Amino acid sequence: MEAAAPRGTQDILPESAEWWQQVETAAREVARRFNFKEIRTPIFEHTEIFARGVGETTDIVEKEMYTFMDKGGRSLTLRPEGTAGVVRAYIEHKLYGASPLQKLYYIGPAFRYERPQAGRYRQHHQFGLELIGSVDPAADVEIIGLTIAFYRQFGLKDLEVRLNSIGCPSCRPRFRETLINQLTSRKAALCPTCNERLDRNPLRLLDCKNPDCQAQMQDLPKTVDFLCPECREHFDKVRRYLELKGIKYELDATLVRGLDYYTRTVFEIVYRGLGAQDAMCGGGRYDGLIETLGGPPTPGVGVGIGLERLILTLEKQKVYQPQIKPLDVFIVACGEKERDQTVGLAYRLRSYGLSVDFDFQGRGMKAQLKAADRSGATVAVIFGEEELRNEMVIVKIMQDGTQQNVPLIDIETALASIIMGQKASNMG
Ligand SMILES: [Zn+2]
Ligand SMILES: [Zn+2]
C-alpha cells in the first residue's frame, strides 16, 4: 500500500494550518462587518440539485463531479460548488419565511475532477457569500465590495475586477441566436469542444481558452449590446455604485462564467501582483436559481472565493505573515519525583488559561531544556530538587535566559504577569 493522498488533494500540515486558521478568521471577521451569517450545509447533496442548479450542459456537471450511489441506491454528489446547496437549504427551511432577504456565508471544501495545477485541487476550499432576496444593484456591489475588503485585509491591493452582464431570460435568447448564427459560419475554425457545445451552450464558447477559438471570438456581438432595458439599467447602476465606492473594474465581454444559473452581473477578481492572470474568485447574480430548485421566485447574487489560491499568493507575495501565538510555558523536571509535580502543574496552569507543554519521552533535564527552547515557549518552569523542598520553582525567560525563583503557591499570577511583560516588550 502506498501512503499517498489521492491525486489533486493536499494535506494541510500544522505549519500551513496557521495560514488557514488566520484566513478563515479574517473571512468570518469581514463577513461579520457586512452582517453576513454563517450557514453550514452537507458536503454532499442529491445529484439532481447540481444537475438542475448548475446545469446539465456545463463542464462541471458533464465531466467534473464526484457522483456515487449510496447503499440505498440514491445518486449523491460531493458538492462541486457552494451556491446550489445553500439555495437548497434556503428553500427547505423556508428561510424566506420572515423576510426573503438573507445574507449568508460558508467556508468549506468543494470537489471537482479536473486536471490538478498550482493552486487548483480536486478538493479545494471556498469562502462563499450569498445575498439572497434582492434585485438591488447595491447587492451585487455589496458582494464585490466585501470580497475586495477581504483581500485587502492581507495587504493585497493590486486587484482588478472584471465585469460583464449576460442578461436575463427575456433578453438572452436573442443574443444566443445571433451568436449561434455567427459562430456556425466559423465552425471549421473552432475546436472540437466548441463545435460540440455550439448548439447547446453557445455562451461557453466565448471563454474557450483555445487560441484558435479566441481568434474567432474577437469581433462577435457582446452580451451587453443585447440587454433589455431592465438589465441595462441594472448593469449601469452596478457600474455607478462600483465607481461611487472607488472600486476599479474592467468590462470583459468574454466573461460568461461556466455555470448556467448566472443572470445579469458576472464578475471575476484577478490579482495583478506576481504577473498572475488567473481569477482569484468569481461570482455573479442568479435570479432564476431559487425557482429552478423549487423555491419561490427569488433573486440572488454571490461569490466563491478560492482559498488555496489566496494562500498560495500570500505565501509567495510575503505581504502578509500569519501571526503565530507562541506556547506560554514548557515545564522541565529534574527527576522522577519532580516529574509527578509537572503533570499536576501543567493542568493547573492550563485551567488558568495558559498554554503549557512538557516532556513525554522520559528525557533528562538537559534534553528537556533543549525541548523547551525548541518549543518556542515564552518561559520554562523548572522543578529543581532544592527549590521544590522550599515550595518554589525556577522561572526562566527563554528569550534572554534570565531566571527567578517563584513560590509555587501563586505561580499562576506570577507567570501571567511575566508572560504579559514579555509580550509587551516584544511588541515594543
Ligand atoms: Zn434582460
Ligand atoms: Zn474552443
Side-chain angles (χ1 to χ4, degrees), residues 334-346:
C334 73
E336 195 61 31
K337 191 156 50 73
E338 293 78 12
R339 158 84 187 191
D340 295 348
Q341 298 276 340
T342 300
V343 179
L345 181 63

Side-chain angles (χ1 to χ4, degrees), residues 167-172 226-232 264:
C168 70
S170 80
C171 56
R172 205 184 303 161
F226 285 74
L227 299 180
C228 64
E230 292 76 19
C231 286
R232 162 62 52 202
R264 294 187 170 172

Side-chain angles (χ1 to χ4, degrees), residues 101-279:
L101 193 87
Q102 295 283 331
K103 297 170 91 176
L104 303 168
Y105 80 90
Y106 58 86
I107 299 172
F111 305 84
R112 286 189 200 174
Y113 190 80
E114 40 181 3
R115 187 195 300 273
Q117 296 168 27
R120 181 170 296 171
Y121 296 91
R122 290 180 175 170
Q123 175 178 339
H124 68 279
H125 296 78
Q126 283 188 11
F127 168 34
L129 298 152
E130 314 293 350
L131 200 164
I132 302 176
S134 171
V135 285
D136 190 343
D140 308 48
V141 176
E142 182 90 335
I143 293 289
I144 297 171
L146 193 162
T147 306
I148 294 210
F150 173 61
Y151 287 138
R152 284 201 179 139
Q153 290 185 103
F154 305 106
L156 297 180
K157 291 197 185 78
D158 204 0
L159 300 163
E160 183 185 297
V161 179
R162 291 182 184 161
L163 188 70
N164 195 17
S165 174
I166 56 172
C168 70
S170 80
C171 56
R172 205 184 303 161
R174 203 164 62 86
F175 173 74
R176 203 170 171 261
E177 220 172 282
T178 312
L179 194 62
I180 293 177
N181 285 338
Q182 297 213 10
L183 284 170
T184 304
S185 62
R186 309 176 189 191
K187 256 183 133 169
L190 301 174
C191 76
T193 316
C194 282
N195 268 286
E196 189 200 316
R197 278 179 178 158
L198 181 56
D199 294 318
R200 292 186 304 152
N201 198 347
L203 263 71
R204 286 310 314 281
L205 272 64
L206 294 174
D207 70 351
C208 179
K209 298 289 177 272
N210 183 310
D212 294 337
C213 297
Q214 280 181 352
Q216 295 299 321
M217 306 300 163
Q218 298 304 327
D219 55 342
L220 286 174
K222 294 175 175 164
T223 52
V224 288
D225 296 331
F226 285 74
L227 299 180
C228 64
E230 292 76 19
C231 286
R232 162 62 52 202
E233 192 194 345
H234 187 273
F235 192 47
D236 287 345
K237 277 195 177 157
V238 168
R239 296 176 59 182
R240 184 150 14 106
Y241 288 148
L242 286 172
E243 281 152 22
L244 281 173
K245 281 191 150 190
I247 298 172
K248 275 190 239 145
Y249 65 88
E250 298 274 335
L251 293 183
D252 182 348
T254 67
L255 183 65
V256 290
R257 307 281 303 151
L259 294 78
D260 278 0
Y261 55 59
Y262 285 121
T263 53
R264 294 187 170 172
T265 313
V266 287
F267 70 92
E268 287 180 351
I269 298 178
V270 177
Y271 177 59
R272 283 260 164 238
L274 301 173
Q277 293 284 323
D278 284 343

